[in-house]
């Protein structure tokens, strides 16, 4: 059974930093593209960043480019999201997700991901 467990969320002031982690079990981690998504109340879930299985290719939502950095450690089955210069509009529940490397569809489309974590809340105050 696949489990994705996110940690690292919290409450910070604008301009602060957080590092999210997502530990995976029950799957061969380097057979999966990994992504971070977020969902604010009343809004659709949106893709924030994703990373290919080697870690060589990364992709970001325009609004987080230059502030967020995605990375992965395949030896530890762990995905990370370093979030700097946080803004109130970054407030949301953050989810990690996994999709097989052979899957088609946009990396930022939630429907293309097979497995999801339970989420971790990030709250940024002004």
């Amino acid at each position: 059974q696949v489990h994705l467990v996110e940690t690292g969320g919290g409450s910070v002031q604008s301009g602060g930093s957080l590092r999210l982690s997502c530990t995976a079990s029950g799957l061969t981690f380097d057979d999966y593209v990994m992504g971070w998504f977020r969902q604010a109340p009343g809004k659709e879930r949106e893709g924030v960043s994703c990373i290919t299985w080697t870690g060589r290719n990364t992709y970001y939502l325009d609004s987080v480019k230059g502030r967020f950095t995605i990375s992965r450690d395949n030896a530890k089955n762990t995905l990370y999201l370093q979030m700097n210069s946080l803004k109130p509009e970054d407030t949301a529940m953050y989810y990690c997700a996994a999709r097989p490397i052979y899957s088609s569809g946009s990396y930022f489309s939630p429907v293309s991901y097979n497995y999801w974590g339970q989420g971790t809340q990030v709250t940024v105050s002004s």
Side-chain angles (χ1 to χ4, degrees):
Q1 191 171 4
V2 175
H3 289 285
L4 302 177
V5 180
E6 302 98 334
T7 57
S11 297
V12 297
Q13 290 191 329
S14 183
S17 298
L18 287 172
R19 188 194 195 202
L20 306 184
S21 299
C22 170
T23 302
S25 60
L27 52 72
T28 303
F29 190 65
D30 53 8
D31 282 347
Y32 287 80
V33 171
M34 299 298 296
W36 286 102
F37 290 76
R38 66 187 181 188
Q39 188 167 19
K43 295 189 176 181
E44 292 188 353
R45 189 169 297 190
E46 66 176 352
V48 174
S49 183
C50 58
I51 185 168
T52 54
W53 71 276
T54 60
R56 189 172 298 133
N57 299 106
T58 57
Y59 306 89
Y60 296 93
L61 182 68
D62 283 347
S63 62
V64 309
K65 284 180 181 176
R67 301 188 297 120
F68 291 9
T69 303
I70 192 171
S71 61
R72 64 190 293 165
D73 185 338
N74 288 348
K76 295 182 178 180
N77 283 10
T78 302
L79 174 72
Y80 303 99
L81 185 69
Q82 178 66 44
M83 304 186 296
N84 298 329
S85 302
L86 283 161
K87 303 176 180 180
E89 52 263 44
D90 295 318
T91 296
M93 186 72 79
Y94 282 71
Y95 300 90
C96 72
R99 60 179 255 177
I101 56 176
Y102 53 77
S103 293
S104 60
S106 168
Y107 282 152
F108 286 96
S109 173
V111 298
S112 69
Y113 286 76
N114 298 62
Y115 302 110
W116 292 84
Q118 82 289 346
T120 187
Q121 178 68 37
V122 172
T123 303
V124 185
S125 58
S126 57

